[in-house]
Amino acid sequence: QVQLVESGGGLAQAGGSLRLSCAVSGGALRWYDLGWFRRAPGKEREFVAGFNRRGDSTTYADSVKGRFTISRDHAKNTMYLQMNSLKPEDTAVYYCAARSGLNEYNYWGQGTQVTVSS
């Protein structure tokens, strides 16, 4: 039905930037609520940022406000997460996710590793 593939992760120094991409296949972006989650070592998965399917509402975790920006390109069927002013505590596996209903996110990518050094 829908497939999500993340890319753009890697190693960055504190204060640096990375841009994550989420390629969506099998459906248009507007069909789903879309979001980014992350899981740090020894931590539970947490919400980072997201769009509602209409695209008129965005939400950010307090820990990334002012540093991360979520965006989407309908022509490329791709969602992005621009990550600036990176901190070591941003180190985690980042996941792209989508939901077709009103409950929990039900489609997930494989994850991409982001590592931030001091």
Side-chain angles (χ1 to χ4, degrees):
Q1 187 174 1
V2 62
Q3 184 176 354
L4 310 174
V5 180
E6 304 96 332
S7 62
L11 177 65
Q13 295 187 27
S17 298
L18 287 173
R19 187 195 192 199
L20 305 184
S21 298
C22 174
V24 180
S25 61
L29 299 184
R30 65 182 184 274
W31 295 359
Y32 309 94
D33 291 338
L34 300 168
W36 290 96
F37 293 76
R38 66 186 182 186
R39 186 181 65 191
K43 300 289 186 179
E44 288 292 312
R45 185 173 59 198
E46 65 174 344
F47 175 81
V48 176
F51 275 116
N52 71 332
R53 65 196 68 191
R54 189 178 298 174
D56 58 0
S57 179
T58 57
T59 304
Y60 293 91
D62 289 341
S63 60
V64 306
K65 287 181 179 178
R67 300 189 299 118
F68 291 8
T69 303
I70 190 172
S71 62
R72 59 186 183 179
D73 187 329
H74 290 285
K76 296 181 179 180
N77 230 42
T78 300
M79 180 177 64
Y80 304 95
L81 183 68
Q82 180 65 46
M83 309 165 65
N84 298 326
S85 301
L86 285 165
K87 304 176 180 179
E89 50 263 45
D90 294 320
T91 295
V93 177
Y94 284 72
Y95 298 90
C96 178
R99 63 182 177 187
S100 57
L102 300 177
N103 299 310
E104 291 188 340
Y105 285 82
N106 52 340
Y107 299 103
W108 295 85
Q110 83 288 349
T112 185
Q113 176 70 48
V114 171
T115 303
V116 184
S117 62
S118 300

